[in-house]
């Protein structure tokens, strides 16, 4: 029996209708999958950039009587007035006009059927998120001759982002086949593969004599209702599906049937090349015993691989012997990868098997950063969130445990670091229905707290997945999946979500800058030498590349040479921005690297940039929570990218710092200088005290 969750799902698609949302004096149309369409009456292409305030006030704008020029007949007649008692916290997506038709709970949604000329192709850019404006919907391209050709926009999106989710339709199937064939030809010109992800058939709209819309009737003489027959009353129409019918006035009228429409979702993705593929980094957090490592082991394995309930899947992920004995992760496991082909297929390999063959075929790689859930290892978890630069955070919640204090801690840190998150509820196979409903209710309540302001969204079908993936990462939408790693419930849908998940950063643009490599691990290999591992944020590093390693405890940098590069357990000629890898280093001076002192928190940078270590810096701080007051000489722990060190408050423009206070604070590193840059996000912790901030100036 299906468990009814308190998290409300969106309404089903009810045909080839569009949403008409009034924002101020402008009338914008949105198709029924949530992408922004062009302004009505304008032949040029427009991208909907809606600030959060405009999205929240869309319902009020409808009530204030917007300009209805050029809108549908239903809008002019006022039949889509907001439903009484509708609220923004009703569990649906807000700000996008998502409703259930003319009488749905979202009154700003007005349905109207598009013609063949209104057929649109929506291209999801997947680029970096704007700081000032939040785009709730993707760009929409028109097949009309006016304006910029849609083929050029598809090529630009593929070259810039590497992949793009495109929506074709709604349109008749014969026309849609022509559009899909043309899209396939355009994809081949930019070395991309075009794959059909999902298709949705819209029900046929039926009307009588061209007036209004008829409902009901399937050819068996069932009664329908024809609205607005010119008399201001609803007219009963018996047998609307028979081809002809008679209304209350006794006059026979013919039934008008619109041609069936179909919507097609296609993924255009770059073909794999040597050393070039799309990278996505996902941090996995959650309470202890929630099933994080087990879920990662299932996702990174073959499609048919599932857990046996006794630790088979997590044995592929855990790194140390004591972790396998206790079943608890105490370190950062970052060598788990989900390899996807250009068509979205899974290319799984065994843990220690060389991936040279599959690495060439992999067009997209999702790297999981498995973090610890026990309170004892909270510092390790915070370091993993800051040092490894994740694109998204996957919060794993055990259905039998519900929301715990550590779950709230991890969600709060992800929100403080401004990293989009989604939730996966595990162990649904052994959890009673009542406990599962209570866990989902607690999760829904936590995500809607004033500090989080998230919009929970339950994803159970592929149609709902297509709707949420277009807004995820660019709005407050938080998808919720329910899975079982033993029975496989919900795992295929979660795999599809990772396949369609858009890139959060435009890493291709970072290749023009000088290299900057963050070191978060180092070790000595007998017969090889010093090996450092981490993440490349900027530039491109090649073999025999000369870089500067530092700073050490004295703030100095040492010249080194990269002798070998490994990426995803395989040798690579170069490392691209956004990728993780390992370098074998050789010193270019007489000073040995072991005597120089290699540690976590160091960086590899271009020597021509003249890197300087910083001991004193100023920062804009916001105190999130503090049980005490903070004054000068207060000593919290600072987390800034791969830097983790105790700092001391040297000066601040407020006498004391309490919860909710903002201040400009000057800090001193307690033990050694570090390489930091202005604009870096930082996190301060000391016990239960937590504060976030941004570095503004490196003083000394």
């Amino acid at each position: 029996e299906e468990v009814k969750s308190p998290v409300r799902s969106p309404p089903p698609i009810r045909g080839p209708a569009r949403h008409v949302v009034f924002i101020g004096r402008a009338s914008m149309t949105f198709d029924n999958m949530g992408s922004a369409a062009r302004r009505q009456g304008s032949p040029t292409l427009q991208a909907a950039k809606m600030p959060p305030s405009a999205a929240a006030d869309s319902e009020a704008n409808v009530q204030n009587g917007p300009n209805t020029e050029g809108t549908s007949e239903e809008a002019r007649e006022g039949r889509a007035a907001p439903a009484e008692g509708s609220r923004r916290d009703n569990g649906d997506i807000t700000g996008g006009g998502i409703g259930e038709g003319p009488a749905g709970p979202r009154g700003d949604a007005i349905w109207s059927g598009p013609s063949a000329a209104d057929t649109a192709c929506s291209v999801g850019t997947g680029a970096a998120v704007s700081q000032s404006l939040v785009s709730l919907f993707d760009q929409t391209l028109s097949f009309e001759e006016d304006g910029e050709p849609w083929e050029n926009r598809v090529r630009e999106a593929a070259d810039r982002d590497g992949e793009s989710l495109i929506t074709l339709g709604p349109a008749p199937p014969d026309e849609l086949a022509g559009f899909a064939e043309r899209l396939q030809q355009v994809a081949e010109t930019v070395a991309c593969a075009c794959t059909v992800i999902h298709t949705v058939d819209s029900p046929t709209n039926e009307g009588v004599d061209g007036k209004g819309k008829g409902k009901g009737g399937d050819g068996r003489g069932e009664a329908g209702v024809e609205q607005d027959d010119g008399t201001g009353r609803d007219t009963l129409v018996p047998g609307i599906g028979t081809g002809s019918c008679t209304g209350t006035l006794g006059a026979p009228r013919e039934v008008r049937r619109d041609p069936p429409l179909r919507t097609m979702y296609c993924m255009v993705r770059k073909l794999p090349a040597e050393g070039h593929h799309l990278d996505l980094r996902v941090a996995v957090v959650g309470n202890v015993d929630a099933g994080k490592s087990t879920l990662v082991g299932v996702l990174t394995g073959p499609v048919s691989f599932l857990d046996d309930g006794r630790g088979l899947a997590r044995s592929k992920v855990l790194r140390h012997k004591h972790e396998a004995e206790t079943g608890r992760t105490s370190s950062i496991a970052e060598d788990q990868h989900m390899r996807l082909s250009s068509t979205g297929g899974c290319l799984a390999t065994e843990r220690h098997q060389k991936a040279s063959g599959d690495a060439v075929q992999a067009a997209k790689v999702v790297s999981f950063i498995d973090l610890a859930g026990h309170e004892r290892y909270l510092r390790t978890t915070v370091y993993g969130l800051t040092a490894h630069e994740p694109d998204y955070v996957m919060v794993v919640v055990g259905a039998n445990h519900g929301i715990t204090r550590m779950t709230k801690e991890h969600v709060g840190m992800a929100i403080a670091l401004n990293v989009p998150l989604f939730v996966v509820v595990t162990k649904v196979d052994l959890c009673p229905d009542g406990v599962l409903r209570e866990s989902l209710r607690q999760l829904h309540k936590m995500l809607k707290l004033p500090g989080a302001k998230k919009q929970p969204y339950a994803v159970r079908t592929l149609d709902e997945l297509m709707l949420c993936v277009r807004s995820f990462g660019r709005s407050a939408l938080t998808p919720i999946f329910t899975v079982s790693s033993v029975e496989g419930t919900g795992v295929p849908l979660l795999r599809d979500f990772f396949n369609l998940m858009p890139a959060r950063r435009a890493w291709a643009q970072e290749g023009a800058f000088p290299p900057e490599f963050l070191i978060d691990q180092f070790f000595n290999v007998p017969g090889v030498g010093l090996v450092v591992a981490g993440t490349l944020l900027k530039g491109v590093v090649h073999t025999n590349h000369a870089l500067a390693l530092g700073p050490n405890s004295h703030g100095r940098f040492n010249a080194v040479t990269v002798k070998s590069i490994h990426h995803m357990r395989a040798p690579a000629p170069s490392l691209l921005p956004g990728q993780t890898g390992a370098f074998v280093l050789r010193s270019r001076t007489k000073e040995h690297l072991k005597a120089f002192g290699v540690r976590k928190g160091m960086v590899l940078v271009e020597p021509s940039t003249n890197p300087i270590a910083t001991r004193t810096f100023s920062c804009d701080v916001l105190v999130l929570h503090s049980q005490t007051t903070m004054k000068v000489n207060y000593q919290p722990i600072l987390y800034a990218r791969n830097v983790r060190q105790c700092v001391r408050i040297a000066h601040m423009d407020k006498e004391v710092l309490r919860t909710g206070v903002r201040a400009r604070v000057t800090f001193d590193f307690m033990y050694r200088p570090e390489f930091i840059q202005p604009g870096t996000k930082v996190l301060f912790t000391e016990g239960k005290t937590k504060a976030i901030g941004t570095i503004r100036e490196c003083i000394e």
Side-chain angles (χ1 to χ4, degrees):
E1 182 179 359
E2 183 180 359
V3 180
K4 294 185 178 180
S5 166
V7 184
R8 295 187 58 185
S9 301
I13 301 174
R14 299 180 183 274
R18 294 179 300 173
H19 299 288
V20 179
V21 180
F22 298 101
I23 304 176
R25 300 290 295 177
S27 172
M28 288 188 177
T29 61
F30 296 86
D31 62 25
N32 53 10
M33 294 307 299
S35 61
R38 54 186 175 82
R39 293 176 182 269
Q40 291 188 353
S42 174
T44 59
L45 302 177
Q46 300 287 344
K49 298 292 185 178
M50 297 174 55
S53 59
D57 297 338
S58 59
E59 183 173 327
N61 291 334
V62 176
Q63 298 176 354
N64 294 336
N67 182 17
T68 59
E69 181 179 358
T71 59
S72 61
E73 180 180 354
E74 291 86 346
R76 290 193 298 268
E77 295 177 357
R79 284 183 287 169
E84 184 177 357
S86 61
R87 300 176 56 184
R88 292 189 68 238
D89 58 348
N90 56 2
D92 295 330
I93 304 176
T94 60
I98 303 297
E100 299 183 1
R106 296 291 298 169
D108 49 357
I110 302 175
W111 299 90
S112 62
S115 60
D118 293 330
T119 305
C121 168
S122 303
V123 176
T125 59
V129 183
S130 175
Q131 298 295 330
S132 57
L133 298 178
V134 178
S135 176
L136 296 181
F137 306 102
D138 298 333
Q139 298 178 4
T140 296
L141 308 183
S142 175
F143 285 118
E144 297 178 358
E145 298 180 358
D146 297 334
E148 183 180 358
W150 64 271
E151 294 89 348
N152 295 345
R153 303 293 296 274
V154 173
R155 295 187 184 98
E156 292 175 2
D159 291 335
R160 179 180 62 251
D161 306 320
E163 65 176 5
S164 182
L165 180 62
I166 300 177
T167 304
L168 300 176
D174 52 348
E175 295 184 12
L176 199 61
F179 296 151
E181 183 179 359
R182 177 56 181 160
L183 181 61
Q184 179 71 31
Q185 298 174 358
V186 173
E188 293 177 354
T189 60
V190 288
C192 291
C194 181
T195 307
V196 178
I197 303 297
H198 185 51
T199 57
V200 177
D201 291 328
S202 303
T204 304
N205 283 349
E206 296 178 347
V208 183
D209 281 345
K211 295 183 179 181
K213 297 181 180 180
K215 295 193 302 181
D218 55 358
R220 295 175 298 184
E222 296 182 1
V225 177
E226 178 193 357
Q227 298 180 356
D228 191 14
D229 61 349
T231 62
R233 300 186 302 270
D234 292 339
T235 304
L236 180 64
V237 182
I240 195 171
T242 61
S244 64
C245 57
T246 304
T248 56
L249 299 181
R253 285 172 288 180
E254 296 182 356
V255 176
R256 175 181 52 84
R257 296 180 182 272
D258 294 337
L261 300 180
R262 178 175 297 175
T263 303
M264 182 181 297
Y265 301 92
C266 302
M267 172 62 70
V268 176
R269 178 175 294 166
K270 282 285 188 179
L271 294 175
E274 185 69 29
H276 294 75
H277 53 75
L278 300 174
D279 282 278
L280 208 62
R281 303 170 60 81
V282 179
V284 185
V285 299
N287 188 40
V288 63
D289 298 333
K292 300 183 296 297
S293 301
T294 300
L295 181 60
V296 171
V298 170
L299 292 175
T300 55
V303 177
S304 59
F305 177 74
L306 294 174
D307 186 46
D308 62 350
R310 296 185 296 272
L312 175 62
R314 72 186 181 198
S315 64
K316 310 289 184 180
V317 180
L318 300 179
R319 303 174 57 192
H320 304 290
K321 181 180 179 181
H322 69 273
E323 293 180 343
E325 293 175 350
T326 61
R328 294 180 177 177
T329 303
S330 61
S331 60
I332 301 175
E334 56 176 340
D335 57 345
Q336 304 300 317
H337 308 284
M338 176 192 290
R339 298 176 177 88
L340 301 173
S341 64
S342 57
T343 58
C346 181
L347 304 174
T349 58
E350 296 297 332
R351 176 172 172 79
H352 296 291
Q353 180 179 350
K354 291 185 178 181
S356 58
D358 286 342
V360 178
Q361 301 176 9
K364 183 176 183 178
V365 177
V366 181
S367 301
F368 294 98
I369 307 169
D370 188 21
L371 303 177
H374 199 277
E375 185 176 3
R376 181 186 306 174
Y377 311 114
L378 181 60
R379 293 202 319 167
T380 303
T381 301
V382 178
Y383 184 76
L385 288 174
T386 57
H388 292 81
E389 298 284 335
D391 296 307
Y392 301 98
V393 171
M394 180 170 66
V395 182
V396 181
V397 178
N400 53 345
H401 291 165
I403 305 300
T404 62
R405 189 172 67 87
M406 291 308 301
T407 304
K408 298 178 182 179
E409 290 276 355
H410 295 163
V411 171
M413 287 185 295
I415 295 175
L417 296 173
N418 197 24
V419 182
L421 60 91
F422 61 99
V423 183
V424 178
V425 181
T426 59
K427 303 182 181 180
V428 297
D429 55 324
L430 56 84
C431 182
D433 296 346
V435 178
L436 177 60
R437 283 193 294 267
E438 179 62 22
S439 299
L440 292 174
R441 188 193 65 81
Q442 295 177 3
L443 177 62
H444 181 271
K445 181 179 178 181
M446 180 190 66
L447 293 176
K448 298 180 78 67
L449 288 174
K453 295 182 180 179
K454 297 294 183 179
Q455 193 66 44
Y457 179 87
V459 180
R460 299 186 183 90
T461 62
L462 198 55
D463 291 340
E464 296 173 353
L465 178 64
M466 292 298 165
L467 183 65
C468 83
V469 77
R470 303 180 68 85
S471 299
F472 178 61
R474 295 184 289 272
S475 66
L477 181 69
T478 303
I480 299 177
F481 298 86
T482 54
V483 303
S484 172
S485 299
V486 176
E487 295 183 353
T489 304
V491 175
L493 194 64
L494 187 59
R495 288 181 180 272
D496 293 337
F497 179 65
F498 285 114
N499 179 39
L500 302 176
M501 188 180 293
R504 185 164 164 254
R505 307 178 187 180
W507 290 111
Q509 301 177 2
E510 303 293 337
F513 296 96
E516 181 179 347
F517 183 81
L518 305 182
I519 298 176
D520 52 55
Q521 292 187 58
F522 72 95
F523 42 90
N524 287 281
V525 179
V528 176
L530 177 66
V531 178
V532 296
T535 306
L536 183 62
L537 297 183
K538 298 179 181 178
V540 180
V541 177
H542 304 276
T543 307
N544 297 325
H545 201 143
L547 298 173
L549 172 67
N552 62 356
S553 58
H554 303 288
R556 295 188 296 106
F557 287 80
N558 189 22
V560 296
T561 302
V562 178
K563 303 300 294 183
S564 176
I565 301 175
H566 267 62
H567 174 55
M568 294 173 57
R569 311 190 196 105
S574 62
L575 197 68
L576 303 180
Q579 296 181 351
T580 58
F583 299 152
V584 177
L585 301 181
R586 294 285 190 276
S587 177
R588 298 172 61 91
T589 62
K590 296 182 178 180
E591 184 177 7
H592 196 273
L593 291 179
K594 187 175 182 180
F596 179 74
V598 181
R599 59 176 177 82
K600 293 181 180 180
M602 284 187 170
V603 295
L604 286 170
V605 294
E606 189 72 28
S608 59
T609 58
N610 298 323
I612 300 176
T614 302
R615 184 176 290 274
T616 304
F617 63 95
S618 63
C619 182
D620 290 337
V621 176
L622 169 62
V623 181
L624 300 177
H625 176 72
S626 177
Q627 295 180 342
T628 60
T629 58
M630 292 176 282
K631 301 181 180 179
V632 177
N633 294 326
Y634 184 78
Q635 298 177 5
I637 302 295
L638 167 74
Y639 296 88
R641 288 186 175 177
N642 63 332
V643 174
R644 180 176 61 185
Q645 189 182 156
C646 182
V647 295
R648 181 183 66 89
I649 297 179
H651 175 74
M652 57 184 180
D653 57 0
K654 300 287 180 66
E655 294 183 0
V656 294
L657 295 179
R658 297 186 178 90
T659 302
V661 175
R662 298 178 182 266
R664 175 68 65 90
V665 184
T666 301
F667 293 97
D668 292 334
F669 284 112
M670 295 290 295
Y671 303 107
R672 55 187 174 271
E674 301 283 0
F675 180 78
I676 56 177
Q677 294 177 332
T680 303
K681 300 291 183 180
V682 296
L683 179 66
F684 303 94
T685 63
E686 198 277 321
K688 294 184 179 180
T689 301
K690 291 180 177 57
I692 58 174
T694 305
I695 298 176
R696 296 305 180 189
E697 182 182 2
C698 298
I699 301 176
E700 180 183 352

